[in-house]
Amino acid sequence: MPNPLDDSALDQAFRTARSANGFSDEPVTEADLRAIYDLLKWGPTSANQQPLRIVFCTSDDAKEKLAAACSGTNAPKVRKAPVTAILGMDMAFHDRLPTLFPHADARAWFVGNDALIRESAFRNSTLQGAYFLIAARMLGFDTGPMSGFDAAAVDAAFFAGTSIKTNFISTLGHGDPAHTHDRLPRLSFEDAARLA
Amino acid sequence: MPNPLDDSALDQAFRTARSANGFSDEPVTEADLRAIYDLLKWGPTSANQQPLRIVFCTSDDAKEKLAAACSGTNAPKVRKAPVTAILGMDMAFHDRLPTLFPHADARAWFVGNDALIRESAFRNSTLQGAYFLIAARMLGFDTGPMSGFDAAAVDAAFFAGTSIKTNFISTLGHGDPAHTHDRLPRLSFEDAARLA
């Protein structure tokens, strides 16, 4: 039976980790991005759907294209970050289920049910987006997740002609503590949970 | 700058962790549930919304009520698990933003915009649901997340007269490896990601 991880691991993943608003100049390499993916991919999704699709904006061109679709406060963060990840969801994720979930005809659960496709893609790509944030932290990186952008414009710029839609975006790099905001309050157990 | 966590931490949170289909008899205490909440609460949400609301079903009555709303394969898992968490979302989360996000009138972004409320509550409570799964693993527990249930029936049984709606549910305890399924395949980096 596994034991609790030590305090330094809990701190790095959750307790003292902070969303980054600025980053050091240290680069993020393709090997880093592959390592983050190869960790987050193990997180569970319903019927192994894995709808998450990621575009890692690393070039100035891609960052500029993404920044142009962001809110006024988020655009400069995208321009300055070493990488910004577009965390998208493939609305045709079910076409891969014969391979990803071979012991049932899971594809048939979704064909023709657009409401279920949308709900499942959104829920499970968001779970995977959270795995991205935590996996990056566990590997020593910092992230800055954002939902202040024009999703239709990001879709048009990065996913035209595909079945992929943008869910949220996140900067990625090595955070500069000089740009970290004060910690905001969290709900107490009593405010957020109860036993039944 | 933080270093990558060691292999045992990455394994326990992601790489060798598995969804549980059965649990040992070891109990999960209220102190355990509070410890899991006090870790997951630090995960980031957009504008600090924290829409997640959790009902931890620990009594036989609550488990039976929840099982009655579950699919045929999921009902016995709920009946047998030490705890099943109902991971819900408060559709009135924005009423707390004056306290949770005090430096802007964030509540005003949502009032009267039901589509934005629904999207934000779903995205951010799902992020927090993923934090629940990973936090539980990091503290030495196993989880079994499920979306096969009648959400309207769970809402009626646990959230009648409130602004809370069910997102997904998850068993919680100490997994019995005898009930773990074979590992299903994961998409490669090339299938799920690209650099731009």
Side-chain angles (χ1 to χ4, degrees), chain A residues 42-112:
Chain A
W42 296 117
T45 54
S46 178
N48 203 30
Q49 291 168 22
Q50 300 175 69
L52 182 70
R53 303 292 181 268
I54 310 174
V55 176
F56 291 109
C57 297
T58 60
S59 69
D60 288 344
D61 273 6
K63 291 178 198 177
E64 187 52 45
K65 214 160 55 160
L66 179 57
C70 285
S71 70
T73 50
N74 289 338
K77 297 181 191 174
V78 169
R79 288 193 181 94
K80 286 181 198 165
V83 175
T84 298
I86 304 171
L87 299 150
M89 45 189 162
D90 188 348
M91 310 310 278
F93 69 85
H94 48 291
D95 286 340
R96 289 179 181 268
L97 291 179
T99 306
L100 296 178
F101 195 74
H103 51 283
D105 184 7
R107 183 175 178 277
W109 306 341
F110 296 96
V111 172

Side-chain angles (χ1 to χ4, degrees), chain B residues 51-136:
Chain B
L52 181 70
R53 301 292 181 269
I54 311 175
V55 177
F56 291 110
C57 296
T58 61
S59 70
D60 287 345
D61 274 6
K63 291 179 196 175
E64 187 52 44
K65 214 160 56 161
L66 179 56
C70 285
S71 71
T73 49
N74 289 339
K77 296 182 192 175
V78 170
R79 288 193 182 94
K80 286 181 197 162
V83 176
T84 298
I86 304 171
L87 299 150
M89 45 190 162
D90 189 348
M91 311 310 279
F93 68 86
H94 49 292
D95 285 339
R96 289 179 181 269
L97 291 180
T99 306
L100 297 178
F101 195 76
H103 50 284
D105 184 9
R107 183 175 178 277
W109 307 340
F110 295 97
V111 172
N113 190 338
D114 284 349
L116 184 64
I117 289 170
R118 277 196 301 271
E119 178 181 316
S120 298
F122 192 23
R123 179 183 293 114
N124 288 286
S125 70
T126 303
L127 291 173
Q128 291 185 285
Y131 304 150
F132 165 81
L133 300 174
I134 302 296

Side-chain angles (χ1 to χ4, degrees), chain A residues 34 37 41 186-187 190, chain B residues 37 41 186-187 190:
Chain A
R34 287 177 176 268
Y37 180 76
K41 73 180 181 186
R186 293 302 192 268
L187 293 178
E190 283 69 21
Chain B
Y37 179 75
K41 73 181 180 186
R186 293 300 191 271
L187 293 178
E190 283 70 21

